Amino acid sequence: MNLRGERVVLRPITAEDVPELRRILHTPEVHARWGDEDADENWPFDNPEETRLVVELGSATVV
């Protein structure tokens, strides 16, 4: 299920999102806050009790 706003879309993460999300996590600003969030090899699918979402702005993944 996607949540659509005026400017962004929130949707569940897919395997295709992982490389871009890892790139974002390893930027200095994000890494300073979240550290090694993606250290688990199954990240972001390491906790089946969580629903993690991607934020899209236009066609770009921004978070």
Side-chain angles (χ1 to χ4, degrees):
M1 179 175 138
N2 296 348
L3 301 173
R4 297 186 181 277
E6 186 176 316
R7 298 184 63 199
V8 299
V9 175
L10 302 176
R11 63 168 177 75
I13 294 173
T14 66
E16 292 78 27
D17 297 315
V18 173
E20 179 64 5
L21 293 174
R22 285 189 190 277
R23 185 196 68 75
I24 292 168
L25 276 173
H26 289 264
T27 61
E29 301 84 4
V30 177
H31 192 265
R33 168 61 177 94
W34 293 101
D36 294 325
E37 172 76 14
D38 64 335
D40 186 304
E41 67 183 44
N42 295 318
W43 180 91
F45 309 108
D46 52 340
N47 187 342
E49 295 182 16
E50 292 181 354
T51 300
R52 294 182 177 174
L53 303 172
V54 165
V55 178
E56 290 183 341
L57 178 61
S59 62
T61 299
V62 295
V63 177

